[in-house]
Each structure stands twice: as structure tokens, then as C-alpha cells.
Amino acid sequence: MTEQATTGPRTVVVTGAGRGLGLAMARRAGADGFRVVVAEVDADRGARAAEGLRTEGIDAHCVPCDVADPQSVARLAARVAELGPLYGLVNNAALANGVGGKEFQDIDVATWDRLMAVNARGPWLVAKALHPLFGPVGRIVNIASDAALYGSPRLAHYIASKGAVIALTRAMARELGERGITVNALAPGLTECEATEAVPAERHGVYAANRAIPRPQQPEDLVGLAAFLLSEESRYLTGQVIAVNGGFTMN
Ligand SMILES: NC(=O)c1ccc[n+]([C@@H]2O[C@H](COP(=O)([O-])OP(=O)(O)OC[C@H]3O[C@@H](n4cnc5c(N)ncnc54)[C@H](O)[C@@H]3O)[C@@H](O)[C@H]2O)c1
């Protein structure tokens, strides 16, 4: 493995940061002074996102990466090691676009397996490869979904994958606490962005009728919690699942 640099800005890796919620969280991390690595399976999208962040003055790097592929993830780890100390990882990449619509019995095995490989195995693979690069303090933020808390219909494979992300968060929090690394899950509600443009009006309606804060959710609504979970201030918070959804679900 490449020797880790010990000086320079702290690096935060955001998977799937080519657009949507990942890009919004990467932008905020950059604004907070972190070096940002956009780890994105769509290399062109990732490159455009990193270029856009650089025009905003952010130290952003794109590393093409498929989080479901161990070799691709190993290449990400090698590149991150060259860049300098790793401080944060936001496991955001997922198949979240156009995945709903079928009842559980109609989902085919190949679709189930692919979604699990990206959404559930991916965050584990990335954390497994990157954890040796963390310094004495680290932050892992796993992006779950409030669909797994609410139990949204016609999304069984997606919900199961996000349930796995929540359980993984707790397992990793137990194992990484001694090393000063916190692991938390952020569970967004239905957010207005590219991935949810095709979500049926009926599902938007369920959210609209049941939020405590009665307005549509925007990507920018998440970035404050993501920034807090990445900050020094959250040092004693770990193994938690926090829903940011205008009160659509409540613990
Ligand atoms: N948008 C919402 O309403 C919503 C709600 C709850 C949870 N989430 C979660 O938030 C996260 C971001 O969602 P989004 O709406 O921005 O989705 P999106 O589809 O717009 O963005 C996901 C990004 O991840 C990338 N990606 C997909 N597979 C990948 C892989 N194998 N390796 C690396 N990158 C990959 C995509 O190319 C894309 O750029 C996801 O984990 C999603 O499940 C979103």
C-alpha cells in the first residue's frame, strides 16, 4: 500500500458524489475546508462534479470507482492514500434512481443481487479498504434512507439494503470506537433531486401529507447534519441513525 502522507488538509471521501445528495454533501465538506474526493462510478459525471467544485475554490479530486467492485475500491484506497490523511468517509453511492415500483414477490433475483451489491456491500467494501488510512480521529457517515424506517411499499430490495446499512453502522461503530472513529447513519427523506424526478406523485403525496414541516425536502436540507457528523463536535455520537425528513418519521 502507498505510504500515507501526514501533512496537508484532511480528506473526506464521498462516494457517488457526481450529483444529487452526494454532491451537495461534498460541496459542504469542501466549504468546511476539507479536501474532497468524489468517488463515482460514472467517470464523466464525477469529473464534471469535481471540476465544478474546484471552480468554487474547493480542493476536489475525482476518482472513478465502482463501490461494488473490490478491485475498483482497492484502486480508490491507493489513490486516497497518496492524497494525504483520511479523516472522513461518506458512504453515499447507491442505486436509488428508478428502483421502485414492484411488489417484493415480483423483484427478480438479479435485480435484488445487484442492488445489494452496490447499496449494502458497497459501503462495507469501501470502509474495509479505507479504514487503515484513518488517522487518530475519523468520521464515517453512511447514507441510509427513511424508507427503511417507514417501510415504504414496492421498494423491498432497496429497503432491505438500507436496513443493512443501518445494521452495518452499528457493527462498525462498536468496532471502530476505540480508534476514535465514529460511525453514524443519516437517513434522508424523499428529496427533490434528479433521482426522484420519476418517483410517482402518489409517493410524493404520502410525504407531503405526513411531514411535520410541510414543504418539499431539498438536498441542502441534509448538509447541515452531514457537516455536523463530519465535525469534531460530533465526537461522542456514534452508532446512531438520524432521519432528516421534516418529521416524516419520528423515533
Ligand atoms: N434522493 C432521495 O430522495 C433519497 C432519499 C433517501 C435516501 N437517499 C440516498 O441518498 C444517496 C444519494 O441519493 P441520490 O438521490 O443523490 O441518488 P443519485 O442517483 O442522484 O446519485 C447517486 C450517485 O451514485 C453513483 N453511483 C451509483 N452506483 C455507484 C457505484 N456502484 N459506485 C459508485 N458510485 C455509484 C451514481 O452514478 C450517482 O452519481 C443514496 O444512498 C440514496 O439511497 C436518497
Side-chain angles (χ1 to χ4, degrees), residues 16 19 21 40 45 65-67 92 94 144 158 162 188-189 191 196:
R19 71 176 195 181
L21 310 190
E40 170 61 59
R45 180 183 289 171
C65 175
D66 178 355
V67 300
N92 166 79
Y158 179 79
K162 293 302 186 177
T191 307
T196 54

Side-chain angles (χ1 to χ4, degrees), residues 213-226:
I213 300 171
R215 66 161 174 80
Q217 180 163 350
Q218 305 299 328
E220 291 69 30
D221 292 321
L222 296 169
V223 299
L225 179 62

Side-chain angles (χ1 to χ4, degrees), residues 84-238:
L86 178 62
Y87 170 77
L89 165 63
V90 182
N91 268 318
N92 166 79
L95 294 177
N97 191 16
V99 296
K102 288 189 176 173
E103 295 191 351
F104 77 93
Q105 69 274 19
D106 296 327
I107 296 169
D108 61 79
V109 170
T111 302
W112 176 280
D113 285 351
R114 178 63 191 156
L115 194 130
M116 283 292 171
V118 176
N119 294 15
R121 198 179 73 186
W124 167 70
L125 271 181
V126 175
K128 184 176 155 77
L130 295 190
H131 85 90
L133 307 180
F134 278 103
V137 175
R139 301 280 179 264
I140 298 178
V141 182
N142 293 326
I143 305 305
S145 170
D146 76 351
L149 307 174
Y150 174 76
S152 304
R154 295 177 293 283
L155 273 173
H157 52 347
Y158 179 79
I159 285 186
S161 75
K162 293 302 186 177
V165 166
I166 291 169
L168 177 69
T169 297
R170 293 173 176 152
M172 284 173 36
R174 293 264 180 220
E175 295 183 18
L176 291 172
E178 270 186 314
R179 287 180 47 195
I181 301 172
T182 64
V183 189
N184 291 290
L186 190 168
L190 184 65
T191 307
E192 289 194 343
C193 56
E194 297 98 321
T196 54
E197 278 167 10
V199 168
E202 176 224 333
R203 188 151 161 253
H204 281 286
V206 171
Y207 273 82
N210 291 288
R211 289 183 180 107
I213 300 171
R215 66 161 174 80
Q217 180 163 350
Q218 305 299 328
E220 291 69 30
D221 292 321
L222 296 169
V223 299
L225 179 62
F228 172 68
L229 292 176
L230 286 172
S231 75
E232 293 279 2
E233 299 290 289
S234 65
R235 61 187 170 270
Y236 205 59
L237 183 75
T238 196

Side-chain angles (χ1 to χ4, degrees), residues 10-107:
R10 288 168 149 187
T11 300
V12 172
V13 174
V14 185
T15 65
R19 71 176 195 181
L21 310 190
L23 179 55
M25 292 185 283
R27 176 174 288 116
R28 173 59 190 265
D32 286 345
F34 295 111
R35 168 186 287 143
V36 174
V37 173
V38 174
E40 170 61 59
V41 73
D42 183 328
D44 290 343
R45 180 183 289 171
R48 280 196 305 274
E51 176 60 29
L53 293 173
R54 284 193 292 273
T55 64
E56 297 169 28
I58 292 167
D59 183 5
H61 303 253
C62 174
V63 181
C65 175
D66 178 355
V67 300
D69 174 0
Q71 286 166 353
S72 182
V73 172
R75 287 193 292 276
L76 169 68
R79 179 72 185 115
V80 170
E82 287 168 9
L83 281 175
L86 178 62
Y87 170 77
L89 165 63
V90 182
N91 268 318
N92 166 79
L95 294 177
N97 191 16
V99 296
K102 288 189 176 173
E103 295 191 351
F104 77 93
Q105 69 274 19
D106 296 327
I107 296 169

